[in-house]
Amino acid sequence: MNETPLDLLISNGTVLTMDSRAPLIENGAVAVQNDGIVWVGPASNSPWKTAKRHIDARGGIIMPGLINTHTHAAMTLFRGIADDLPLMSWLNDHIFPAEAGLTEEKVYWGALLACAEMILSGTTCFCDMYLFEGGVARAAADAGMRAIVGEVLFDFPSPHYGELEKGFAYSRSLATQWKDHPLVSIAIEPHSPYLCAPDLLQRGHWMAEEMNLRLVVHVSETQSEVEQIRGKYGVTPVRHLANLGVLSSRLLACHCVVLENEDISLLKAHEVKVAHNPESNMKLASGIAPVPQLMNAGICVSLGTDGCASNNNLDMFREMDTAAKLHKVHALDPTVMAAADTLRMATLNGAAALGLDAVTGSLVAGKKADIIVIDTRKPHLTPMYRPESHLVYAASGSDVMHTIINGRVVMENRHLLTMDVNTVMQEVREIVKR
C-alpha cells in the first residue's frame, strides 16, 4: 500500500480503458499523479490509501476524453451564418467575406467559446486549422485543453498575414513559441490542393519534416474539387499529392470523401491518416467518405466535427452516432461501423492521427490523464448492457459529468473551472454586434 497521498483518484464507475489488454473494468478506478495516469484497475486493488482529491463516478463510465481531429474552432463566431448552401457558394460567397473582418482577439474569444463547448461535451483534445492561430493557441492554453493548431496557408493573400511568405514565417514563429508547451503544439496547414499551388504544398511538407510537425490538408472533399484537380493536373488530388512527394505518415488528410481505389492504396502505402467529418459532409452535401473501405485497408481513420459554420455543433458524441448510422445505411449493412470501432475513431485513432498515441487516447499507466466521466443515471442510458453501445448510440455531450485534461480537473459536475463561460458568451455576442 502506497502511503504517499495520490493527487487524484477517480472511482466507483465502469472504466472503459480503450486498451485491448484490459478494455473494461467493472467497479474500477483511475489513479492520477501530477499530469499522468499511474494506475488503472479494480477499485478494491488500489495501492493508494488516500488521495488529495477524489471524484466519485457514481456508477457511471470513466473513459478517455474524445479527440476532435478536424475543426475550425473560432468559426463558432459564424454558427448558422450561411446554412443550406453548397460548399463552394458557402465558402466563397459567405465565409471568406466574413473572415475578412477577423482579428486575433476575435479569434481568441471564438476559440475560447469552442473550448467551452468541447470541454462540456467531453472533448479533451482538438486539431485546429484557421486564421490568427496564435489566438486559438492562447484560448486552448487558457481553457486547459490539449490542442494541435496551425495557420491556414493559401495561394492568395490571407486576411491575417497577407502574402504567403509571411504565412510561412508566422507558422515557424508559432512552432518556436509553443515548442515546449505541455498542451499546445503547432502543425503546418496548407488549405487544400485546389487553393494551394504545388510549390506551396511541397514547402509545407518540407517545413513539417524539418520541424517534426504534423501536416494537415483538406483532401478530396467534393466531386467538384476532384474534377478541378484532374482538369488542371490530370490526376486525382491524392495522386497529385503523391506526385509532389507530400504523402507521408505525418499527413492528416481531412475529409477524403471522393476517392478511387488507387487513392486508398496510396493513402495506405504512405501511412496517411484520415479525419472523417460526416455531419459537415452531410450538411454541405459533399458526399459520403468510403470510411469502411479505408478501415478495411488498414488506414487510421479518426473523427472530427469540422467548424460550427458547416456543422453547427462540436459534440463528438453526436458525430459518433452520425458516423455509425450513416455508413450502415449507405452500405445497407447493419454490421458496418460497429460501436466499438466508431468509439475507437474518437479516441485511440484520434490520438494516432495527431501523433499523440503515446500521450492520450486510452487509459493506461504512463499516458497523460485526459479523462471524462459519463453520468449514466439517466432514463436514456438505462439499462446498460454494453458501454460502447450507449456511448455511440444513446449518449450526448450533456451526459459528461467531469472532464480532466493533463491531470487537471477542468470541469466538475458540469461546472467549467478554467473560464467564466457567461463572460465568454457575452464577448462573442458583442463581437457579432460589432
Side-chain angles (χ1 to χ4, degrees), residues 96-133:
F96 284 161
E99 288 174 341
L102 288 175
T103 64
E104 181 165 323
E105 199 62 16
K106 291 176 184 177
V107 165
Y108 169 81
W109 287 107
L112 199 57
L113 180 64
C115 289
E117 184 178 349
M118 286 190 277
I119 290 171
L120 284 162
S121 56
T123 293
T124 55
C125 175
F126 69 99
C127 181
D128 198 65
M129 173 193 282
Y130 208 50
L131 303 158
F132 298 96
E133 281 291 298

Side-chain angles (χ1 to χ4, degrees), residues 263-319:
D263 296 331
I264 295 174
S265 297
L266 285 169
L267 294 173
K268 171 60 178 175
H270 292 276
E271 300 180 349
V272 175
K273 316 303 187 292
V274 171
H276 179 39
N277 306 266
E279 291 191 2
S280 174
N281 295 154
M282 290 168 66
K283 185 165 183 272
L284 294 170
S286 299
I288 302 173
V291 169
Q293 294 93 314
L294 290 167
M295 295 173 72
N296 288 339
I299 294 167
C300 175
V301 183
S302 60
L303 203 58
T305 60
D306 214 348
C308 280
S310 63
N311 181 330
N312 299 58
N313 73 80
L314 300 172
D315 188 338
M316 285 287 287
F317 283 94
R318 290 179 59 170
E319 206 72 35

Side-chain angles (χ1 to χ4, degrees), residues 76-379:
T76 53
L77 298 171
F78 305 137
R79 194 192 315 260
I81 196 173
D83 289 333
D84 308 323
L85 294 169
L87 174 62
M88 290 306 167
S89 174
W90 172 83
L91 192 63
N92 293 318
D93 300 337
H94 299 274
I95 298 304
F96 284 161
E99 288 174 341
L102 288 175
T103 64
E104 181 165 323
E105 199 62 16
K106 291 176 184 177
V107 165
Y108 169 81
W109 287 107
L112 199 57
L113 180 64
C115 289
E117 184 178 349
M118 286 190 277
I119 290 171
L120 284 162
S121 56
T123 293
T124 55
C125 175
F126 69 99
C127 181
D128 198 65
M129 173 193 282
Y130 208 50
L131 303 158
F132 298 96
E133 281 291 298
V136 180
R138 283 196 295 122
D142 289 349
M145 283 200 76
R146 195 176 303 284
I148 293 180
V149 309
E151 185 77 10
V152 63
L153 302 170
F154 307 105
D155 274 338
F156 51 85
S158 161
H160 172 205
Y161 53 76
E163 297 300 324
L164 177 60
E165 195 61 37
K166 292 182 179 178
F168 278 110
Y170 182 72
S171 296
R172 187 176 292 275
S173 68
L174 277 181
T176 302
Q177 179 184 350
W178 293 92
K179 182 178 180 180
D180 298 317
H181 196 275
L183 290 173
V184 179
S185 54
I186 305 303
I188 305 302
E189 305 198 358
H191 184 275
S192 60
Y194 68 91
L195 290 182
C196 298
D199 58 343
L200 192 168
L201 293 164
Q202 289 177 318
R203 187 173 173 185
H205 165 74
W206 295 331
M207 180 178 283
E209 290 281 343
E210 173 203 343
M211 304 188 77
N212 193 26
L213 304 176
R214 307 310 284 180
L215 180 69
V216 182
V217 184
H218 295 98
V219 179
S220 290
E221 187 173 355
T222 64
Q223 185 64 47
S224 63
E225 173 193 339
V226 174
E227 291 171 0
Q228 180 180 338
I229 296 301
R230 195 187 294 278
K232 195 168 185 178
Y233 302 106
V235 293
T236 67
V238 173
R239 168 51 75 180
H240 176 55
L241 293 175
N243 291 346
L244 295 175
V246 170
L247 297 186
S248 78
S249 61
R250 72 176 65 249
L251 173 62
L252 178 61
C254 304
H255 297 289
C256 291
V257 173
V258 184
L259 298 177
E260 298 181 356
N261 288 335
E262 187 204 24
D263 296 331
I264 295 174
S265 297
L266 285 169
L267 294 173
K268 171 60 178 175
H270 292 276
E271 300 180 349
V272 175
K273 316 303 187 292
V274 171
H276 179 39
N277 306 266
E279 291 191 2
S280 174
N281 295 154
M282 290 168 66
K283 185 165 183 272
L284 294 170
S286 299
I288 302 173
V291 169
Q293 294 93 314
L294 290 167
M295 295 173 72
N296 288 339
I299 294 167
C300 175
V301 183
S302 60
L303 203 58
T305 60
D306 214 348
C308 280
S310 63
N311 181 330
N312 299 58
N313 73 80
L314 300 172
D315 188 338
M316 285 287 287
F317 283 94
R318 290 179 59 170
E319 206 72 35
M320 284 193 290
D321 181 59
T322 298
K325 293 174 181 174
L326 172 67
H327 293 288
K328 290 177 190 299
V329 72
H330 183 60
L332 298 179
D333 182 355
T335 67
V336 167
M337 295 287 285
D341 296 332
T342 307
L343 186 60
R344 193 174 300 112
M345 290 171 65
T347 53
L348 274 172
N349 285 15
L354 301 181
L356 297 174
D357 39 327
V359 174
T360 189
S362 60
L363 303 185
V364 296
K367 288 196 176 185
K368 300 300 183 184
D370 295 350
I371 306 164
I372 59 175
V373 179
I374 310 301
D375 184 0
T376 55
R377 300 167 302 163
K378 307 280 186 74

